Amino acid sequence: MQTIKTRFAPSPTGWIHLGNARTALFNRLFGGEFLLRIEDTDQTRSQPEFVAALLEDLAWLNLNWEEGPASPEPDTYFQSLRSDLYDSYYAQLEKNNRVYPCFCTPHELALSRKAQRAAGLPPKYSGKCAHLSADDIQRRLDEGLQPTLRFRVPPGIGITFEDLVRGQQRFDSDTIGDFIIRRADGTPAFFFCNAVDDALMEVTHVLRGEDHLTNTPRQLLILEALDLPAPRYGHISLILGEDGTPLSKRNGSRSIRELREQGYLPLAVINFLARLGHAYGEETLLSLEQLAERFQLQKLSRAPARFDAKQLDYWQNQAVRAADDDTLWQWLTEPTRKLIPDAHRTLFLTLVRSNCLFPEEAQPWAEIIFGDDFPITENAHQILKQTQSESEFFSAAIEAAHRNPEDYPAFLEALKTATGARGKRLFQPLRAALTGRLDGPEIQRIYTLLGSERTIDRFTRLAKKTPC
Ligand code: GLU
């Protein structure tokens, strides 16, 4: 059996966004070996900083590659260093008359497209340079003109392939004009080096965006002309933004980098992306291995996926709850970590798990619990004032805390018995006194984290009827 090899082949022209991260993920989940290739032939748009960011972002997502660049320093997995190799394949196509130099200027091409459109025809290269004589070609080269190289598309054939996601596909070669495989500046066009490298790197399966579907017949023609094996292609549906147009910055897409900086956990992002266009039927957080085990091509949707920011936060919540202590501790901000005494770390993290989506949300709780001063909200203030004026609630609380310093249930029982308070009348003043708020983590956790000294101190301030 042939071993499966998938790949991710990004162009380092920007930071990875949700869309291309999902492409990388689906290839990873499909199974087999995962290869990473940097498609940096567009020298004006490719930036080394984006390569470094890309490797870092993929590593952060745990999308590790078995084969690919060892570092951001260009190596054989960078297309910019493979031009000699591409040249040998151009030479082969030239030798077999499968390509020709094209001297049409961008202006001429634009005019031709315009004329075709005006005549109600889909724009396609006219074939003007397809039959230039050797002398003609030489004369133009001697004039210093720099041609592009066009692939001769064979007329009158059907190009068919079985798409892994969308099933049988057929393209009529007559609708495809001869296309450029090498630009006038000598750099390879995407179609060409992408297809050649998949073959040379022995990629067997390619999952990529639907926007590449019409490139596939061209790439199959190139590979056939070079007698190179073609991978199986599968085109995954696009992701639409909340407004129904393709996902972009404008309608909600964010880079992986931004998500990381906002405090999203990698497993949250992975679980979110895995379900964008793939049905799992399980709303529980799954590890990368579990997602891979359950990944099936038949479960990839042909309809566009919808980005939903609420879903992303749902997975974030799940990931925070599932994170182990070390992960969560590192995730907290430095100022928050500084406030938490070692002995209370584990319990504080338990509180974080059920109350915080992002690291900065833990900071106020660290301040409330471990700081000397904490703000009191307006409604907590009202409750405290009312309780102070109506009853001896806080003196009873001091007494109960004294007797049960380590035992919250016993403390609560004692307080109930002493005050007769129940429900809201019991919990609201308690919460307000200990945290200055009426919402938040379970009081039992707060009580334990505060310790009896600070708990009693907070009740004492109120029992003295000093204005809170
Ligand atoms: N470099 C191409 C891109 O980023 C790769 C397309 C493909 O996956 O074949 O769009």
Side-chain angles (χ1 to χ4, degrees):
M1 210 180 95
Q2 190 189 23
T3 37
I4 289 175
K5 194 193 270 190
T6 61
R7 53 80 165 164
F8 179 47
S11 305
T13 55
W15 288 344
I16 326 187
H17 274 250
L18 290 167
N20 36 19
R22 184 190 62 155
T23 302
L25 174 66
F26 281 0
N27 281 286
R28 186 80 189 94
L29 295 180
F30 183 70
E33 234 180 84
F34 180 56
L35 176 139
L36 176 66
R37 181 174 68 235
I38 308 295
E39 302 211 322
D40 58 345
T41 51
D42 186 343
Q43 313 240 312
T44 48
R45 295 178 59 222
S46 299
Q47 305 277 343
E49 74 192 83
F50 292 133
V51 176
L54 186 90
L55 301 188
E56 219 177 271
D57 291 348
L58 289 175
W60 180 74
L61 287 168
N62 281 312
L63 297 179
N64 304 315
W65 49 100
E66 276 88 30
E67 199 187 326
S71 78
E73 211 42 56
D75 63 15
T76 176
Y77 294 97
F78 285 64
Q79 289 187 325
S80 56
L81 292 190
R82 297 171 67 80
S83 42
D84 288 351
L85 214 140
Y86 305 139
D87 286 347
S88 67
Y89 286 97
Y90 288 133
Q92 191 179 324
L93 291 174
E94 273 164 348
K95 192 165 140 243
N96 297 336
N97 194 28
R98 302 300 304 263
V99 289
Y100 59 88
C102 170
F103 294 91
C104 294
T105 64
H107 180 64
E108 284 170 326
L109 295 171
L111 285 182
S112 154
R113 279 196 295 270
K114 201 169 158 198
Q116 286 171 329
R117 274 200 210 95
L121 299 167
K124 160 183 155 181
Y125 180 60
S126 65
K128 186 173 169 210
C129 294
H131 302 290
L132 294 177
S133 69
D135 284 352
D136 264 347
I137 293 173
Q138 196 50 54
R139 190 174 41 77
R140 289 172 205 225
L141 291 177
D142 292 345
E143 280 170 24
L145 295 179
Q146 290 188 311
T148 58
L149 192 66
R150 282 193 189 265
F151 185 85
R152 282 184 207 282
V153 175
I157 62 163
I159 305 149
T160 57
F161 66 96
E162 181 75 17
D163 189 284
L164 293 167
V165 181
R166 321 183 87 78
Q168 188 66 26
Q169 303 289 315
R170 186 180 191 284
F171 292 83
D172 181 351
S173 72
D174 290 335
T175 61
I176 305 173
D178 294 346
F179 53 87
I180 295 174
I181 59 170
R182 189 176 64 206
R183 301 186 193 100
D185 65 4
T187 58
F190 154 74
F191 299 123
F192 181 78
C193 45
N194 177 270
V196 166
D197 280 343
D198 280 339
L200 297 182
M201 295 180 181
E202 299 177 335
V203 170
T204 59
H205 294 76
V206 170
L207 292 175
R208 60 183 180 180
E210 191 183 10
D211 47 330
H212 286 292
L213 182 62
T214 53
N215 294 332
T216 302
R218 293 170 173 80
Q219 296 192 294
L220 292 173
L221 288 173
I222 294 171
L223 292 171
E224 196 201 37
L226 288 170
D227 205 16
L228 289 173
R232 300 279 318 270
Y233 292 97
H235 293 88
I236 48 186
S237 58
L238 296 183
I239 308 175
L240 301 182
E242 280 161 349
D243 59 0
T245 63
L247 187 63
S248 67
K249 259 195 190 155
R250 194 179 38 77
N251 60 7
S253 182
R254 274 169 274 173
S255 66
I256 298 303
R257 190 143 287 237
E258 282 167 305
L259 293 176
R260 176 166 51 154
E261 280 161 10
Q262 280 169 32
Y264 283 95
L265 288 168
L267 205 54
V269 178
I270 290 287
N271 271 268
F272 170 69
L273 289 176
R275 287 158 172 99
L276 271 183
H278 184 284
Y280 272 94
E282 269 177 274
E283 297 305 297
T284 47
L285 193 80
L286 298 174
S287 67
L288 206 56
E289 293 70 35
Q290 291 169 322
L291 288 167
E293 276 162 21
R294 293 159 175 76
F295 183 84
Q296 285 175 24
L297 288 175
Q298 309 85 280
K299 292 190 176 169
L300 285 172
S301 160
R302 294 185 195 185
R306 265 304 165 125
F307 171 80
D308 178 354
K310 283 202 266 339
Q311 278 300 311
L312 180 56
D313 285 352
Y314 168 82
W315 291 111
Q316 170 72 354
N317 185 6
Q318 301 288 313
V320 171
R321 283 173 186 274
D324 61 33
D325 278 6
D326 281 349
T327 307
L328 221 50
W329 183 250
Q330 292 312 322
W331 176 76
L332 293 179
T333 64
E334 180 66 26
T336 305
R337 286 199 293 260
K338 278 202 176 127
L339 286 168
I340 304 162
D342 284 350
H344 291 313
R345 190 182 286 192
T346 301
L347 189 58
F348 185 77
L349 292 176
T350 311
L351 175 154
V352 167
R353 276 190 194 93
S354 37
N355 291 277
C356 305
L357 267 194
F358 298 104
E360 67 272 16
E361 292 172 13
Q363 174 76 12
W365 291 108
E367 282 168 6
I368 287 169
I369 297 169
F370 304 112
D372 292 329
D373 235 353
F374 54 93
I376 296 173
T377 64
E378 185 48 40
N379 45 12
H381 182 77
Q382 292 302 329
I383 296 285
L384 292 174
K385 240 169 58 183
Q386 203 180 336
T387 312
Q388 280 178 319
S389 67
E390 282 172 6
S391 69
E392 297 299 311
F393 185 93
F394 297 114
S395 348
I398 295 170
E399 178 67 20
H402 260 304
R403 288 182 189 279
N404 309 283
E406 312 270 305
D407 185 347
Y408 175 76
F411 156 78
L412 198 64
E413 256 330 291
L415 186 60
K416 270 190 203 166
T417 313
T419 60
R422 295 285 183 279
K424 266 191 183 176
R425 293 182 67 81
L426 174 67
F427 289 105
Q428 284 195 332
L430 198 53
R431 201 176 261 291
L434 296 182
T435 68
R437 300 168 55 149
L438 298 182
D439 60 342
E442 279 175 37
I443 310 184
Q444 175 154 7
R445 287 195 184 128
I446 304 268
Y447 184 85
T448 316
L449 280 168
L450 279 171
S452 64
E453 199 177 313
R454 257 176 309 169
T455 302
I456 292 168
D457 181 56
R458 290 182 188 191
F459 290 143
T460 308
R461 282 191 237 166
L462 294 156
K464 282 187 192 145
K465 298 204 194 295
T466 46
C468 57

